[in-house]
Each structure stands twice: as C-alpha cells, then as structure tokens.
Amino acid sequence: MKTHTRQKFVVGNWKMHTTALEAEKLARGVIDGLGVADDLTIILCPPFPYLALVGGVLEGSRVALGAQNMYPEAEGAFTGEVSPTMLLDLGCRYVILGHSERRHKLGESDHFTNQKVVCAVAAELDVILCVGETLKQRQAKQTEAVLDRQLSTGLAGVAGEALSRLSIAYEPVWAIGNEEHHASPQQAHDAHLLIRRQLSRICGETWAQKLPVQYGGSVQPENASAFLSQPGVDGVLIGGASLKAEEFLAIIHAAIAEPLANSRRSKVLDVA
Ligand code: PGA
C-alpha cells in the first residue's frame, strides 16, 4: 500500500482571551522565537476582533492565521455573525469548526457544524473539524458512536479533492482545559486509530490515510512530546498553553523534534 506523509500541525486556539495589546505581543513573541520550523504547519487563531491585527503581525512569517468559528453563509442578515468571505478578506487560511465549546456551551448541532464545514470548504478555507466525547459519554462507552456520528454528519457532502482542505482534531471534552482529567497518550492513540478507521469508512482508505488528525486537550510543554510521538497523532491543538509565547514555542519545538516518529508512523499505519 502507498505511504503518505501527513501534514503536521501546531495550532493555538486563543479562545475568548487577550486584549488587542496582548494579542499583538503574543503573536510577535511566537514569531520572534520561532527559528526554523521545518515542515510544521503553525496556526494562530485569535478572537475575531484581533484577526486583522494578528494577521498584520504574521504577514511574511511562516505562521498562518486561522479563525475559531464562522457562519455558514457568504453574507446576509445574520446579526453578530462572521462569514467565510470576511475571514478570507482578513487573511485567514484556516477555520476551527465544531469545537466542543460551540457544541456544548452554545448548543451547536452536528448538522449546523456540517453546514459550516461545507460552506468553509466551498469558500476555499482549510477546516480543522473538532470531534470528541464528553466524560459521561466515555463512561457510558459511547465514544465510538459519538465520534462516528460527529464525523459522518460533520463530513456529509464533502468528497473528493474538497477533503484535502480538511484536518480533524480529536478533543475529548473532559480533557479540555482540565487540571484533573488528562487523557493519556495511549487514550489519544486509541481514539486516533478509531477515527482513522471511521474516516476510512466515510471517505475511503486513501483519504483516511491522508487526512491529518490532531490531538487537543490540556496539551502542555511537559506532555506535548508524549502525545506527538504517538502513531497517528499528526499535531496538537492548544488552548491554554498557546496564551504564553514561551509555552507555545516549547510545544512547537517538541513537534519539530518528532519527524522521525512521524515517518515511521505513516508507514506503520499504512500497512495496518
Ligand atoms: P486546552 O484547550 O489546551 O486549554 O485544553 C484545547 C482546545 O479547546 O482546543
């Protein structure tokens, strides 16, 4: 079987944090400390109001700009919402969709998430689609069913080359921003394997091997290598630790140190 080297990500999701001044300082801190970052895809996702500001700081650097959400229409009477056209206008290349905070705190459905995915891809934005189970669902042994539902509904209507705009982020809800419950690297590994099996059924084996699957949930400089060295983990989506330049940079350096594990991983998975 053919082997694929998947894109490797380190993504900073700033959520609803920072002032304008802090956002500018943080983005500059990341760029200044970056050095040579190999083939790593590094993305900063500031809050909407600072996209232009942070985009200006990132200009000419190897760090891409991403948004944390969008509304699935190009324009219209949708008070308070932000369209893919606007994101592109502000220099975004990526958008995070289906984050658990949107699903669980704002009540967004799999179907609505799917509308966003379809619209973003059509607008030529690259999508990071987040999936993950709650603690209750994990304890009730529903993880597989939840991931399957989020992936099959989330990706409905996205096929062929449109899939090249996609990466998946596995974020167990119980491990996000959580001091008490951390997922173990083994749990991340197992869930990533499961996701790739489901992707194979949904999109076919070739795309399942091509699509990067990132891990997110309390990733810190201290544990980043343990996650990044797991076969099938193609990067990390960072919340809290992306708000301090030195911590985010430490995670980037951990990801740079993993290329060998990555190429071994691709081969191992492809013959599995
Ligand atoms: P965390 O957030 O790193 O603070 O757990 C991750 C995320 O929600 O994307």
Side-chain angles (χ1 to χ4, degrees):
M1 192 182 279
K2 237 178 107 202
T3 60
H4 301 285
T5 308
R6 290 183 292 268
Q7 201 177 350
K8 192 168 57 161
F9 288 86
V10 176
V11 184
N13 174 13
W14 294 359
K15 307 192 179 183
M16 201 173 71
H17 292 292
T18 70
T19 61
L21 201 65
E22 287 163 354
E24 189 174 1
K25 216 172 136 210
L26 181 53
R28 270 196 209 292
V30 171
I31 305 243
D32 290 348
L34 205 53
V36 181
D38 297 336
D39 55 349
L40 204 57
T41 299
I42 304 164
I43 308 166
L44 293 184
C45 303
F48 284 144
Y50 309 138
L51 281 172
L53 174 72
V54 171
V57 176
L58 301 184
E59 217 170 285
S61 82
R62 55 179 321 293
V63 179
L65 187 66
Q68 301 172 18
N69 183 38
M70 54 157 251
Y71 192 80
E73 291 287 344
E75 63 173 336
F78 301 101
T79 302
E81 294 295 336
V82 175
S83 75
T85 324
M86 293 166 185
L87 297 184
L88 287 163
D89 219 15
L90 289 167
C92 287
R93 166 148 183 223
Y94 294 90
V95 61
I96 298 172
L97 296 176
H99 191 279
S100 73
E101 284 145 21
R102 301 222 57 97
R103 293 178 190 269
H104 298 291
K105 294 188 179 170
L106 291 134
E108 296 188 0
S109 67
D110 293 327
H111 179 64
F112 190 44
T113 303
N114 172 247
Q115 287 180 312
K116 295 185 191 192
V117 172
V118 171
C119 182
V121 163
E124 303 191 345
L125 278 164
D126 284 1
V127 170
I128 299 166
L129 173 63
C130 300
V131 295
E133 79 288 357
T134 63
L135 187 57
K136 211 165 145 210
Q137 289 166 332
R138 174 166 277 259
Q139 285 167 341
K141 308 226 175 306
Q142 293 168 347
T143 302
E144 184 163 355
V146 170
L147 294 179
D148 195 42
R149 193 197 68 228
Q150 290 178 341
L151 286 170
S152 21
T153 311
L155 295 176
V158 186
E161 277 309 307
L163 286 164
S164 64
R165 295 208 166 272
L166 239 116
S167 68
I168 307 296
Y170 170 61
E171 298 208 302
V173 182
W174 48 277
I176 294 177
N178 194 331
E179 299 283 305
E180 285 166 38
H181 287 108
H182 284 224
S184 67
Q186 184 64 44
Q187 284 171 317
H189 168 264
D190 295 349
H192 280 236
L193 266 188
L194 186 60
I195 286 171
R196 220 171 281 287
R197 266 210 311 277
Q198 292 167 335
L199 286 173
S200 171
R201 192 182 47 72
I202 298 164
C203 324
E205 182 58 15
T206 304
W207 281 110
Q209 293 302 331
K210 279 189 189 171
L211 290 185
V213 184
Q214 312 170 38
Y215 175 74
S218 301
V219 177
Q220 309 286 338
E222 301 74 39
N223 62 14
S225 293
F227 286 111
L228 286 160
S229 59
Q230 292 301 314
V233 174
D234 304 308
V236 280
L237 177 51
I238 317 290
S242 70
L243 294 170
K244 289 192 183 132
E246 64 279 11
E247 292 192 4
F248 191 62
L249 286 165
I251 294 170
I252 289 172
H253 291 125
I256 292 170
E258 285 300 328
L260 264 181
N262 277 355
S263 60
R264 276 201 305 274
R265 165 202 57 206
S266 293
K267 290 195 175 85
V268 169
L269 283 179
D270 275 359
V271 293

